[in-house]
Amino acid sequence: MENKYVTIKRFIDGLPSGLDFELRSAPLTPATPQGSEDVIVKNLFVSIDPYQINRMKEYSSSQETVEVARRLLPGQRIDAFGVGRVVASGNAEFKRDELVAGMLGWEEYTVVRPGVMLTKIDSNLDFPLSYHLGILGPSGLTAYAGFYDVCKPKKGEKVLVSAACGSVGHLVGQFAKLSGCYVVGCAGSKKKVELLKEKLGFDDAFNYKEETDVKSALKRYFPDGIDIYFDNVGAEMQEAAVANMNAFGRVAVCGAISRYTDAGKRAAPDMIDVIYKRITIRGFLAYDHLSIYDDFISATSDHIRHGRMQSLEDISQGLESVPSAFAGLFRGDNVGKKLVQLAHI
Ligand code: NAP
């Protein structure tokens, strides 16, 4: 049979567009050969994540750091988180028709080799499958680990979240509210700002695109200063947050999306503030925090079941929509977790 997949046509420099991608196909034998421990998965949902852009560049220093960030070449299949159904397995741990989550790809079927991350979906959890990529998946773990392990919140602290209506951001704000913090989100449209305040319980929110001076905007939203900044975007917002930070403030540097498509957007926070206000600025990767994975799943599923947390999802249909879904992340098109559904169970 033929397996369709999405690939880049050329290295990407700057903002991506649908034209940077193409759909190709390669032959696939829908059975595992004798003695192989491969698992063949039919992909149902795939995750659309900003970090992939750094893999699609001819060079990014991130490519030399961790395996998941390694460079992609034009024509290559693109591995990505996904959920799917096992169609053939040479691995005794996985049986045909079981539902799995792990490192799959922007393709119809993925052959998962031994050693590649793949786990069975716990059927007792009884949540929509898409949740295993968002609120109960990598985005949820990023929000949980970044907020609790890195920011170490205390009740009553003042928290700023950027890209607050995105996959990670909307969960961070909700964890912060559940921890008794005061939370302000910034996002790129009026609709997102309203959602944050009216649906997700943020104390306040603003559209950063309408602010000519973000430093003074933050002074308005935080007259008593910021204790925690969960940074998804980098650049001016990080500089403005540090300028408005209280003594012993913490900045969790989760992402720098503004920089991913514009090399000129480097954050240059004032180091005098960092020193005299004893501010911690710490980058992190969710997968270094797997030791709290069980806590994360148990706390978050409990919050969902009791209606204390909501998941925002933005789902496009069909493999052909992957390029535009991905390019849309950098225009702020998505509201919540961006996914593409490739097939139904
Ligand atoms: P997301 O927030 O769902 O989507 C990206 C959002 O970023 C867009 O919707 C847009 O929202 C905003 N954005 C795009 N370009 C921007 C720019 N130039 N300036 C400011 N905002 C911009 O994506 P996500 O998956 O939750 O990821 C959020 C951040 O976390 C990314 O930087 C990502 O790389 C990072 N991340 C890190 C880890 C980790 O382990 N450290 C794990 C997952 C994600 P607006 O409408 O608000 O502009």
Side-chain angles (χ1 to χ4, degrees):
M1 61 186 276
E2 285 294 300
N3 185 24
K4 280 199 228 138
Y5 64 98
V6 172
T7 184
I8 46 168
K9 280 200 244 176
R10 49 186 165 255
F11 290 118
I12 300 179
D13 180 20
L15 279 172
S17 92
L19 300 174
D20 294 317
F21 297 86
E22 65 185 343
L23 231 60
R24 287 195 184 181
S25 71
L28 175 85
T29 310
T32 49
Q34 193 80 38
S36 142
E37 288 188 34
D38 292 351
V39 180
I40 303 179
V41 178
K42 178 172 178 157
N43 298 329
L44 302 175
F45 288 95
V46 288
S47 182
I48 308 294
D49 296 292
Y51 81 97
Q52 299 275 19
I53 191 83
N54 294 324
R55 306 182 63 200
M56 296 168 183
K57 295 174 185 172
E58 190 159 19
Y59 175 75
S60 161
S61 56
S62 57
Q63 294 166 352
E64 293 161 354
T65 55
V66 290
E67 179 59 16
V68 289
R70 76 187 180 289
R71 184 170 72 151
L72 290 163
L73 297 176
Q76 252 181 3
R77 63 175 286 277
I78 298 172
D79 49 336
F81 288 100
V83 295
R85 185 168 52 78
V86 174
V87 292
S89 173
N91 180 331
E93 272 184 53
F94 298 97
K95 309 240 166 355
R96 197 185 151 92
D97 286 334
E98 278 180 339
L99 293 170
V100 289
M103 200 44 105
L104 301 175
W106 289 353
E107 56 195 350
E108 291 173 312
Y109 292 86
T110 298
V111 180
V112 183
R113 311 271 182 221
V116 172
M117 191 185 72
L118 190 70
T119 53
K120 277 190 242 190
I121 290 180
D122 181 353
S123 51
N124 294 323
L125 282 176
D126 198 26
F127 291 117
L129 266 188
S130 52
Y131 280 23
H132 298 279
L133 294 180
I135 190 166
L136 294 173
S139 306
L141 178 65
T142 305
Y144 190 88
F147 188 62
Y148 290 108
D149 264 6
V150 179
C151 299
K152 302 203 185 305
K154 294 193 256 330
K155 197 169 171 204
E157 285 193 317
K158 314 273 186 306
V159 178
L160 169 67
V161 186
S162 53
C165 213
S167 181
V168 174
H170 85 287
L171 301 174
V172 173
Q174 293 182 79
F175 285 131
K177 280 312 298 168
L178 288 164
S179 306
C181 296
Y182 177 85
V183 188
V184 179
C186 59
S189 74
K190 188 166 177 268
K191 177 183 160 200
K192 291 184 181 184
V193 166
E194 275 164 16
L195 249 172
L196 293 172
K197 292 197 286 191
E198 279 151 34
K199 190 165 177 211
L200 298 179
F202 281 56
D203 295 288
D204 216 336
F206 65 96
N207 179 354
Y208 68 93
K209 290 181 181 164
E210 284 175 354
E211 300 292 342
T212 43
D213 175 358
V214 275
K215 219 183 258 185
S216 24
L218 291 184
K219 203 164 250 8
R220 276 197 328 270
Y221 287 98
F222 293 96
D224 300 324
I226 299 169
D227 300 301
I228 289 172
Y229 173 41
F230 195 102
D231 186 7
N232 285 313
V233 304
E236 306 90 327
M237 196 59 76
Q238 191 194 95
E239 293 166 12
V242 166
N244 280 281
M245 201 139 243
N246 292 328
F248 301 104
R250 285 87 70 204
V251 179
V253 185
C254 176
I257 195 165
S258 62
R259 169 90 199 280
Y260 300 170
T261 55
D262 180 350
K265 291 260 181 190
R266 276 170 185 263
D270 187 336
M271 287 300 150
I272 299 293
D273 280 335
V274 174
I275 299 163
Y276 285 92
K277 294 199 264 180
R278 290 86 99 205
I279 294 168
T280 304
I281 302 180
R282 184 174 154 201
F284 75 97
L285 290 176
Y287 86 156
D288 287 331
H289 297 259
L290 288 173
S291 58
I292 59 164
Y293 182 80
D294 290 347
D295 287 350
F296 150 63
I297 291 291
S298 121
T300 310
S301 33
D302 200 50
H303 290 322
I304 303 170
R305 277 198 195 95
H306 290 92
R308 295 188 294 258
M309 271 188 96
Q310 300 192 52
S311 160
L312 291 182
E313 294 181 330
D314 187 332
I315 304 179
S316 301
Q317 298 294 325
L319 189 66
E320 348 22 81
S321 68
V322 166
S324 58
F326 179 67
L329 290 176
F330 303 91
R331 295 188 299 257
D333 290 353
N334 63 305
V335 177
K337 175 74 205 163
K338 188 70 208 175
L339 299 169
V340 173
Q341 181 164 27
L342 305 186
H344 294 268
I345 298 184

